[in-house]
Amino acid sequence: GESVGLHLPTLSVQEGDNSIINCAYSNSASDYFIWYKQESGKGPQFIIDIRSNMDKRQGQRVTVLLNKTVKHLSLQIAATQPGDSAVYFCAVPKGGADGLTFGKGTHLIIQP
Amino acid sequence: DAGITQSPRHKVTETGTPVTLRCHQTENHRYMYWYRQDPGHGLRLIHYSYGVKDTDKGEVSDGYSVSRSKTEDFLLTLESATSSQTSVYFCAISGQGGEKLFFGSGTQLSVL
């Protein structure tokens, strides 16, 4: 089945810097990708998604890049703030009604 | 949390007792999911529902059962709780299968 992996379990950045969180997926037929943010003690929160007919999609301070050739996607957070401290997951649909496959997450730590 | 309420938020119970967790949504979404989240394992699907009275197993369904008698409610039951079921449980909803999920705030369950 589909597997989704994140490259780093922890990422530490300085406040104000840009953050880049990476994710790899295994199924070249995957056509939809989602990023979630999970703050301590809360449920995962949808951030942004992208379909395979796009290479890039921008939201508010976030950008997702998709490289289908190497089956890699990244989440870029501009001007990282203390409120960005959380665990970030990428996810891909399993292909039916049974939801998503999630990566294990990257914990983003913001240094003052 | 996208009109999703999980109850209770915290529960401590003893091994061998039955436990029911409730998920209530106000979004009228067709698909509902129960996940558990454990350190080192990420989010794992327990059961899901694709309509009233229509449910199916996920990857970690042993020891769990579910029921969905109304669109808005999805119940997760541990018939006889075990310590291995100590976890954080998240309910999620989706308007379409294979699309992004919206999560509740979670239930912290401790089985002693």
Side-chain angles (χ1 to χ4, degrees):
Chain A
E2 171 74 86
S3 68
V4 181
L6 286 164
H7 293 189
L8 288 175
T10 303
L11 177 65
S12 182
V13 300
Q14 292 290 127
E15 183 177 347
D17 287 351
N18 297 335
S19 303
I20 300 176
I21 301 170
N22 296 303
C23 185
Y25 60 96
S26 63
N27 187 354
S28 58
S30 295
D31 61 1
Y32 180 55
F33 307 88
I34 308 152
W35 281 100
Y36 285 90
K37 172 186 180 183
Q38 187 176 22
E39 296 176 85
S40 181
K42 297 184 178 181
Q45 177 186 8
F46 168 78
I47 304 174
I48 192 168
D49 56 3
I50 188 169
R51 298 198 181 274
S52 60
N53 61 351
M54 302 174 69
D55 296 324
K56 178 180 179 179
R57 190 172 187 207
Q58 289 185 291
Q60 187 176 9
R61 277 201 310 117
V62 295
T63 300
V64 56
L65 299 178
L66 177 62
N67 186 330
K68 296 180 286 293
T69 302
V70 295
K71 293 183 285 187
H72 178 273
L73 67 157
S74 65
L75 177 71
Q76 301 180 2
I77 305 173
T80 309
Q81 303 170 358
D84 296 326
S85 179
V87 177
Y88 291 83
F89 302 89
C90 59
V92 296
K94 293 185 179 182
D98 53 344
L100 308 174
T101 296
F102 291 87
K104 288 191 170 54
T106 290
H107 185 192
L108 181 63
I109 298 170
I110 314 303
Q111 303 283 0
Chain B
D1 288 323
I4 307 168
T5 304
Q6 289 187 234
S7 58
R9 289 297 315 277
H10 302 273
K11 185 167 182 67
V12 180
T13 191
E14 294 185 349
T15 299
T17 60
V19 177
T20 295
L21 308 182
R22 180 179 184 240
C23 179
H24 177 78
Q25 60 142 331
T26 59
E27 305 297 321
N28 200 36
H29 280 350
R30 177 182 176 187
Y31 299 88
M32 298 186 75
Y33 305 84
W34 278 107
Y35 285 87
R36 60 178 290 174
Q37 186 175 42
D38 305 286
H41 292 279
L43 286 157
R44 294 182 291 173
L45 181 66
I46 305 171
H47 281 280
Y48 65 99
S49 170
Y50 46 95
V52 174
K53 293 189 174 20
D54 292 323
T55 65
D56 207 345
K57 297 178 180 180
E59 59 190 296
V60 289
S61 60
D62 287 349
Y64 302 95
S65 63
V66 289
S67 67
R68 191 166 178 203
S69 58
K70 298 184 291 185
T71 298
E72 56 266 35
D73 290 326
F74 193 31
L75 304 181
L76 176 70
T77 297
L78 291 65
E79 301 291 347
S80 178
T82 67
S83 58
S84 65
Q85 293 176 312
T86 292
S87 186
V88 181
Y89 292 85
F90 288 102
C91 173
I93 64 174
S94 176
Q96 291 180 290
E99 293 291 317
K100 56 184 174 283
L101 307 184
F102 297 97
F103 285 83
S105 299
T107 294
Q108 173 69 62
L109 177 67
S110 298
V111 183
L112 306 179

